[in-house]
Amino acid sequence: MTTLPTTPAETVADRRAEPLSARLHLWAITVDHKRLGIMYVLSGLVFFLVGGLEASAMRAQLARPGNDLVSPEVFNQLFTMHGTTMVFLVGMPVLLGMGNYLIPLMIGARDMAFPRLNAFGFWLFLFGGLLLYYSYIGAQGLYGTSAAPDVGWFAYAPLTDRTFSRGNSTDYWILGIMVSGFGSIATGANLVATILCMRCRGMTLMRMPLMAWMMLVVGVLVLTALGPLTAAQVMLLFDRNLGAHFFDPQEGGSAILWQHFFWFFGHPEVYILILPAFGFVSEIVPTFSRKVIFGYPLMVAATVGIGFISLSVWAHHMFAVGLGPVLDAFFSAMTFMIAVPTGIKIFNWIGTMWGGRIRFASPMLFATGFVAMFVIGGLTGIMLAMVPFDWQVSDSYFVVGHFHYVLFGGTIFAIFGALHYWYPKAVGRMLNETIAKWSFWLLFAGFNLTFFPMHISGLLGMPRRIYTFQPDRGLELWNLLSTAGVPLQAAGVLLIVWNLLRSHRKGAIAGNDPWDAWTLEWATTSPPPEHNFDEPPTVGSRRPLWDLKHPEDPDGRYE
Amino acid sequence: MTVLAVGAVAAPVAAAATQTADATSSEICDPTSGLPLPSIPSMFEPASPPAADIEALTWLLLGICAAIFVVVQAALVHAIVKYRAGRAAVDRDGVPGEPRQVYGSNPVELAWTVIPIVIVFVLAMTSVRLIRDIERTSPPEGALAVTVIGHQWWWEYRYPELGIVTANELVVPANRPVWLELHSADVNHSWWVPQLSGKKDCIPGHTNVLWFEAERPGVFLGQCAEYCGTQHANMLLRVEARDDAGFDAWVRGQQSPPASDDDEEVLRGREVFLALACQACHDIAGVSEGAFGPNLTHLMSRSTIGAGVAPLDRDTLRQWIDDPQTLKPGCNMPSLELDDAQLDAVVAYLATLR
Amino acid sequence: MAATSDATVDPTDGATRRDAVEWRPSRGKVGVASLIAMESFFFGTFIVAFLFYIGKDVHGPTGATALDVGPVIVWSICLLSSSATVVAAVKALARGAKAAFEFWMGATLLLGGAFVYGTAVEWRGLMLDHELFISTNLFGSTYYGLVGFHAFHVVLGLLALGMIWTLSKLGHLRAVDAEKVELVSWYWHFVDVVWIFVFTSVYLFGTGIL
């Protein structure tokens, strides 16, 4: 490995010598994609803890029927804030933040295409999130006291109308999400421009790491999906504050139109949240299986295919709305179709592991957990595409179980895998492997204990978003099990947080390439210098570091 | 892998849960109507053609998905076990220290593209056919028409052909199709009684339709399935399917004016009802014409109060009138802060509305 | 991303070879195209809402009774022809013709300004003569929403073009800035194209002409 560049980075000691205020100032004014990426991930993790607390409170309330730990009003605020937080303030920023950190490194660029726009996007997201949470203090609610939004993360009309949602908590929901959405749009455009325009010499589109492909499609989906959401939110804001009637049935407005607009955003959003996770897994699985990704061109095709199809499946959230047989059938068929490219990805990951020599270091544990859990979420997704079945379980806990297997067992597991994988690169020190393995198994057990029973309570007839459930319907055991999983998950998450904190000081020095990996980010120092690479790199294949390490058998021969 | 275990037992567990329900269902009867009451009113005990079709479909779907699950997870587990570092056989033709690099395989990739396409094509066709079978656009022959209006947080039922208006408990004849027209007076709701049919939303400014046919007399439970505000959780559904004689008797009862009673306390209660805000919201035939709350003309013919939040008897009725917020916090009926004498009188009056 | 020199070591075989600098799209162009794509979906949503609600008002005034298409055609011609003048301006700048650039850019500003004036006159008439406000009915909500956001974008475009014109007057604009000016002109073209859709929806479908 002697040919790897070794840049002496500014030493850690140098930075620590500066006063805290100066160091914080550096973070506040930075336009460096790496610092912004780290700030994205850190703020996202803080919001993740908050959203997790909200979820824990809900599970405590639902531990048994007729519980009165929290009032109905508080419960409704909890699930609204939990959903909104996890989607807009955890999923989006952490994934876009990881993209921010990694994409320039992976494609051999010095920075993102628009560094200042990048910083602008981050601060919009952060202050949008803070604005949403300020509603707990500042919003005037139904009873004159402060109140968080309580209309659900989907904010269906006309519950959001002034008549039914008095006070201004819903306005906080609109504005907080809109502001952070502007940040996401900025980052989406930046990712697209970076990936198309900033690739180093030799990096053709078909030589990009799969992660870059996924992020390209995510960028396009952000640009497509957030426009309609913003427009719909503007309309809602006009309805609530200027007396407009976009979603007001009393004046001929349509409650269903909001659902179309929201889900036209909402379903691509699901893929915005899962495609980067696919990207992480597509990097981690080959490295730890010691094998090149199986079927790269098909993976690219599947990613682009998912991007297209994801724009025409939105109404599968609306099968109970009464769209009529024709639309129901169309969206059912489109939803089945999207299962194909998604399935291809799963098969290709297993194909990559097949015949490999798999090391189960913590990133690989999370990535394998992702594949196993995502298969379940994908299969229940196929079941939900079957319209008549959906008529029974739509808006039930079956759906809650389904999308937590996709977004927690899927996205969050992949995020944790990615954190364990790239932490040494960003910090220069390794995470503690023993703690990492404990946190994985605790999270894995707790996750399944909480979310698997939800499928059963849903099948037995438990609707979503209820603050209490009936004692006579066979739901007690399943809800108790769901609640019992919470402490395990909490322990797993707290272990991860502790590991991240302690390893920052105490972790073993990582070196440039601790996992013996193949993509460009491992060719620079850990952490990388501000300019990323001393010499702009040149690549000749999809795995430039493989070529360096195995000059006798370079990848270019096979691609 | 624990996931395998969890996944593999899931379907049987769900089945077992319903089987236990089966074993006991015949013995539990509803205290007011005397009709049999299932202990787990889920979609796995269908009592109506749409629900039965969906139940059969559910087992088919669970079977197909369980099979895919087993195949995929088995492949994954196999890869994990067999190709672990240290356990994996050393490959001689690869680069030293690394396993053989396989960049892809056209036949294999073609196979796992085409096979899923075939599976989802079959599923999509099944979906289309069942949508057509279940989602009717015109009422079945001889159906009883009922208009359902969702309110925050109770249900209004109108029988246009019979001139009946009632609330929260839908009484229908068994073995005769029922054609529901679904509306909402305020926000979105969803009408969902799993044993009878899938759910359908009640949306303001939009009319939906739904049908079912109870195949046996019985009580079928469900609840609102679309988030509709503070008391979404206590917007419960209750359908009573009666045999023909029972249904006819119920119709006659609903169509006749409520029995008059000359008891002094009852008359005083009626005066209180008319003097205070009660009459502004509640309709009692011949007495008041409020439209905001449930129709009380035959209140005591119902078995629950507050859209199912408690069984209806004099005690819960008194508690409800005293302060509905204790039983259903956040509901739209305020406490009118009656004194004890007024409360007794109003309860005595309402108790005559059979 | 400029390489330090054209001669590089290819890591696949270690050979030194000269290869042409690889083509990458301009990030400015990709960035503005991304912005335009996002905005298209934003306007698309308002247009869908407008079209969906035609004829669903429970009371007037509606597009058929309140809108006067005649003057709008004049103002539309102003806006659409400003797309041509901005092209002339960009071309003039690229060949270094400062005076011609300022002339064509000034013409663009005037034509765009005329369009905004036209919108203002129309709104005044709707509010005073027809008592149509955003809160009046569905037509009011969708009309002011759609036309208002378009006018807002025209104003933003005018501000950007006006700044460029001012910079040129101050002598801070050179031929090398032609690409940046061209990017702003893309945005201006986009605003014009959106107007074609808005015009078709509001003044042709919304009035019952189509």
Side-chain angles (χ1 to χ4, degrees):
Chain A
M1 274 15 52
T2 49
T3 47
L4 292 181
T6 49
T7 319
E10 36 181 332
T11 63
V12 181
D14 281 348
R15 277 197 219 150
R16 294 235 168 96
E18 294 170 33
L20 183 68
S21 61
R23 276 187 281 150
L24 286 180
H25 184 243
L26 270 184
W27 285 92
I29 62 163
T30 189
V31 294
D32 177 9
H33 73 100
K34 296 182 290 299
R35 283 171 178 253
L36 288 167
I38 290 172
M39 287 199 287
Y40 261 122
V41 174
L42 281 181
S43 344
L45 287 180
V46 171
F47 281 121
F48 180 70
L49 296 180
V50 175
L53 276 178
E54 285 155 358
S56 310
M58 281 191 280
R59 278 317 325 163
Q61 162 71 10
L62 292 175
R64 56 187 179 85
N67 209 353
D68 55 2
L69 191 75
V70 298
S71 68
E73 290 87 357
V74 168
F75 187 90
N76 295 343
Q77 293 170 7
L78 284 174
F79 74 67
T80 302
M81 291 298 274
H82 170 77
T84 309
T85 303
M86 289 304 191
V87 170
F88 293 99
L89 307 179
V90 178
M92 300 265 275
V94 171
L95 296 168
L96 293 179
M98 302 284 283
N100 232 300
Y101 189 98
L102 292 168
I103 289 298
L105 288 167
M106 289 182 136
I107 62 172
R110 189 194 188 286
D111 204 317
M112 297 282 278
F114 309 108
R116 278 177 290 187
L117 182 69
N118 202 12
F120 182 62
F122 166 75
W123 294 106
L124 279 180
F125 140 69
L126 184 63
F127 283 104
L130 294 178
L131 182 62
L132 178 67
Y133 269 88
Y134 181 71
S135 62
Y136 268 113
I137 311 166
Q140 198 200 343
L142 210 48
Y143 305 100
T145 54
S146 62
D150 58 356
V151 290
W153 88 282
F154 46 89
Y156 272 5
L159 188 61
T160 48
D161 196 278
R162 273 246 176 268
T163 319
F164 306 108
S165 171
R166 280 160 278 182
N168 51 22
S169 61
T170 300
D171 301 305
Y172 274 85
W173 179 85
I174 299 170
L175 290 170
I177 299 313
M178 202 190 285
V179 169
S180 91
F182 288 143
S184 306
I185 290 168
T187 308
N190 214 341
L191 279 170
V192 172
T194 306
I195 293 168
L196 290 183
C197 313
M198 307 289 285
R199 281 165 289 132
C200 69
R201 177 185 295 245
M203 184 156 302
T204 58
L205 285 174
M206 287 309 275
R207 277 188 197 156
M208 293 197 301
L210 276 174
M211 161 100 175
W213 266 108
M214 313 273 177
M215 280 299 186
L216 179 63
V217 175
V218 167
V220 172
L221 286 181
V222 167
L223 294 172
T224 338
L226 279 154
L229 175 70
T230 308
Q233 287 184 316
V234 167
M235 294 176 195
L236 184 56
L237 207 58
F238 284 177
D239 275 10
R240 288 180 54 83
N241 296 288
L242 299 178
H245 305 290
F246 285 102
F247 307 116
D248 174 8
Q250 303 292 326
E251 287 279 337
S254 165
I256 299 177
L257 190 65
W258 168 268
Q259 297 192 25
H260 279 297
F261 286 164
F262 185 83
W263 291 118
F264 186 83
F265 147 79
H267 207 81
E269 172 70 12
V270 173
Y271 289 90
I272 290 171
L273 293 175
I274 197 69
L275 279 174
F278 290 169
F280 302 152
V281 173
S282 302
E283 300 304 322
I284 295 171
V285 165
T287 299
F288 291 93
S289 306
R290 307 309 307 153
K291 269 184 69 203
V292 65
I293 188 82
F294 189 91
Y296 176 99
L298 189 62
M299 287 294 260
V300 171
T303 306
V304 176
I306 286 176
F308 276 109
I309 306 175
S310 76
L311 294 174
S312 47
V313 295
W314 77 87
H316 69 209
H317 296 262
M318 300 164 61
F319 286 148
V321 162
L323 298 175
V326 176
L327 282 180
D328 281 352
F330 170 77
F331 283 102
S332 171
M334 291 307 285
T335 307
F336 279 122
M337 211 155 103
I338 208 166
V340 174
T342 314
I344 288 173
K345 284 174 182 288
I346 290 171
F347 299 137
N348 277 1
W349 291 319
I350 297 177
T352 306
M353 293 167 75
W354 205 272
R357 199 164 300 149
I358 308 171
R359 290 178 297 166
F360 279 100
S362 50
M364 188 61 182
L365 271 182
F366 278 105
T368 316
F370 164 94
V371 176
M373 298 298 94
F374 185 77
V375 167
I376 300 178
L379 286 172
T380 49
I382 290 178
M383 296 177 72
L384 286 167
M386 184 68 85
V387 177
F389 177 72
D390 183 271
W391 286 332
Q392 281 289 13
V393 295
S394 161
D395 274 311
S396 79
Y397 261 80
F398 187 87
V399 174
V400 181
H402 155 70
F403 71 73
H404 279 91
Y405 268 81
V406 174
L407 292 178
F408 192 158
T411 301
I412 297 288
F413 270 51
I415 285 176
F416 284 148
L419 273 183
H420 286 78
Y421 185 56
W422 282 294
Y423 182 91
K425 177 51 63 187
V427 175
R429 289 173 184 273
M430 306 295 290
L431 286 170
N432 180 302
E433 198 60 15
T434 315
I435 303 177
K437 284 185 173 152
W438 271 97
S439 44
F440 169 77
W441 286 111
L442 280 169
L443 207 55
F444 188 83
F447 166 79
N448 280 297
L449 188 52
T450 293
F451 294 106
F452 201 86
M454 286 187 183
H455 295 106
I456 299 168
S457 45
L459 285 171
L460 294 182
M462 179 162 167
R464 301 167 69 174
R465 301 162 187 142
I466 53 174
Y467 78 92
T468 187
F469 58 95
Q470 299 302 306
D472 54 358
R473 304 188 184 183
L475 303 171
E476 288 89 338
L477 172 66
W478 310 112
N479 276 284
L480 190 62
L481 286 176
S482 285
T483 304
V486 172
L488 296 177
Q489 294 185 70
V493 169
L494 290 178
L495 273 184
I496 290 177
V497 170
W498 183 53
N499 201 359
L500 292 173
L501 292 176
R502 75 171 283 289
S503 302
H504 184 247
R505 292 277 167 98
K506 294 189 186 158
I509 300 292
N512 290 357
D513 184 16
W515 308 116
D516 194 5
W518 301 310
T519 37
L520 271 183
E521 74 271 27
W522 305 104
T524 183
T525 55
S526 307
E530 200 164 337
H531 53 276
N532 289 351
F533 302 97
D534 288 349
E535 295 261 322
T538 300
V539 301
S541 77
R542 287 168 201 146
R543 296 192 297 171
L545 269 67
W546 169 274
D547 297 346
L548 278 178
K549 293 167 186 176
H550 302 284
E552 74 286 0
D553 190 24
D555 257 7
R557 287 187 197 165
Y558 307 97
E559 282 168 5
Chain B
M1 294 289 287
T2 41
V3 52
L4 260 186
V6 174
V9 297
V13 167
T18 44
Q19 273 158 16
T20 25
D22 263 337
T24 48
S25 61
S26 54
E27 288 142 35
I28 299 179
C29 285
D30 182 59
T32 38
S33 59
L35 294 166
L37 194 63
S39 69
I40 299 184
S42 80
M43 60 188 277
F44 294 106
E45 280 184 75
S48 155
D53 287 353
I54 297 177
E55 195 226 2
L57 170 71
T58 301
W59 291 115
L60 174 76
L61 261 181
L62 277 172
I64 293 174
C65 288
I68 301 175
F69 173 86
V70 168
V71 170
V72 176
Q73 301 285 15
L76 181 65
V77 170
H78 178 81
I80 291 170
V81 172
K82 183 160 176 217
Y83 300 110
R84 254 188 125 119
R87 228 174 280 180
V90 178
D91 210 323
R92 284 168 204 283
D93 41 327
V95 173
E98 303 282 15
R100 194 160 70 90
Q101 301 295 303
V102 181
Y103 293 80
S105 154
N106 287 342
V108 171
E109 290 173 53
L110 191 69
W112 66 44
T113 307
V114 171
I115 294 171
I117 288 178
V118 172
I119 295 177
V120 300
F121 182 78
V122 171
L123 287 173
M125 289 301 106
T126 316
S127 177
V128 170
R129 207 192 68 207
L130 273 168
I131 292 171
R132 203 194 52 201
D133 288 355
I134 298 175
E135 195 166 28
R136 301 188 65 118
T137 48
S138 58
E141 207 171 319
L144 171 72
V146 182
T147 303
V148 181
I149 305 171
H151 294 259
Q152 277 183 323
W153 294 277
W154 59 281
W155 303 95
E156 179 178 348
Y157 294 110
R158 296 173 169 265
Y159 298 66
E161 296 152 11
L162 304 172
I164 295 172
V165 179
T166 181
N168 291 327
E169 289 169 21
L170 177 63
V171 179
V172 296
N175 297 313
R176 180 179 161 191
V178 179
W179 179 251
L180 300 180
E181 233 182 56
L182 304 165
H183 300 269
S184 166
D186 37 48
V187 302
N188 298 352
H189 305 279
S190 194
W191 199 90
W192 184 29
V193 179
Q195 288 178 276
L196 298 179
S197 75
K199 62 178 70 62
K200 201 60 138 331
D201 292 352
C202 305
I203 298 167
H206 175 92
T207 305
N208 269 332
V209 290
L210 190 68
W211 74 280
F212 65 85
E213 180 179 346
E215 282 163 347
R216 57 175 185 266
V219 171
F220 305 103
L221 303 175
Q223 66 187 95
C224 176
E226 183 62 87
Y227 176 59
C228 54
T230 313
Q231 273 295 344
H232 168 52
N234 279 319
M235 191 166 162
L236 306 179
L237 280 160
R238 188 185 160 90
V239 178
E240 275 180 25
R242 303 192 179 191
D243 58 27
D244 287 346
F247 182 70
D248 289 344
W250 178 83
V251 169
R252 277 195 303 278
Q254 297 290 311
Q255 284 172 334
S256 56
S260 58
D261 197 325
D262 295 337
D263 183 277
E264 198 177 321
E265 183 153 44
V266 170
L267 289 174
R268 210 168 50 241
R270 189 181 136 133
E271 274 162 31
V272 173
F273 182 90
L274 284 171
L276 294 176
C278 315
Q279 45 80 27
C281 292
H282 292 286
D283 186 341
I284 296 178
V287 178
S288 65
E289 290 183 341
F292 199 66
N295 185 307
L296 300 180
T297 307
H298 296 281
L299 171 68
M300 296 314 280
S301 71
R302 310 205 274 258
S303 36
T304 61
I305 191 169
V309 78
L312 176 58
D313 54 38
R314 282 184 88 107
D315 290 342
T316 52
L317 184 59
R318 194 175 195 282
Q319 192 188 345
W320 178 269
I321 298 164
D322 184 23
D323 186 1
Q325 304 296 325
T326 57
L327 282 167
K328 198 166 175 176
C331 74
N332 284 330
M333 175 168 163
S335 163
L336 293 179
E337 298 183 356
L338 306 183
D339 60 34
D340 277 354
Q342 286 174 314
L343 263 179
D344 289 337
V346 171
V347 170
Y349 168 56
L350 293 181
T352 64
L353 303 176
R354 282 182 203 91
Chain C
M1 191 89 217
T4 43
S5 81
D6 280 348
T8 48
V9 178
D10 190 332
T12 50
D13 50 14
T16 305
R17 63 168 66 102
R18 290 183 65 87
D19 38 13
V21 173
E22 284 174 22
W23 179 82
R24 297 281 182 263
S26 141
R27 57 188 167 161
K29 285 183 179 168
V30 173
V32 172
S34 301
L35 177 73
I36 287 174
M38 192 283 291
E39 293 262 44
S40 309
F41 278 91
F42 178 87
F43 275 109
T45 310
F46 270 94
I47 290 173
V48 166
F50 185 91
L51 294 175
F52 182 79
Y53 283 140
I54 290 175
K56 300 223 168 94
D57 288 290
V58 290
H59 55 78
T62 64
T65 61
L67 291 179
D68 185 3
V69 184
V72 180
I73 291 177
V74 177
W75 305 123
S76 302
I77 292 171
C78 288
L79 185 69
L80 297 181
S81 53
S82 75
S83 257
T85 56
V86 85
V87 168
V90 171
K91 282 191 173 157
L93 183 66
R95 63 171 194 270
K98 183 166 182 285
F101 167 74
E102 282 166 12
F103 171 79
W104 288 117
M105 194 52 104
T108 310
L109 287 170
L110 283 177
L111 288 168
F115 175 82
V116 176
Y117 173 77
T119 305
V121 169
E122 184 187 30
W123 283 29
R124 184 172 181 277
L126 287 172
M127 289 182 194
L128 295 185
D129 303 339
H130 296 278
E131 297 198 334
L132 178 77
F133 300 94
I134 196 169
S135 56
T136 304
N137 58 10
L138 276 174
F139 171 66
S141 302
T142 51
Y143 166 81
Y144 283 111
L146 177 55
V147 175
F149 264 103
H150 179 264
F152 174 64
H153 280 72
V154 174
V155 170
L156 287 183
L158 284 175
L159 285 175
L161 294 175
M163 281 198 289
I164 292 171
W165 186 79
T166 314
L167 284 172
S168 175
K169 279 285 178 199
L170 295 174
H172 293 307
L173 208 64
R174 287 160 302 148
V176 290
D177 296 320
E179 185 185 308
K180 290 170 196 158
V181 176
E182 191 191 348
L183 291 178
V184 178
S185 82
W186 281 18
Y187 181 80
W188 189 252
H189 292 314
F190 163 71
V191 170
D192 283 2
V193 171
V194 169
W195 180 251
I196 296 174
F197 287 96
V198 174
F199 182 85
T200 312
S201 311
V202 175
Y203 298 96
L204 298 183
F205 286 106
T207 53
I209 291 175
L210 281 184

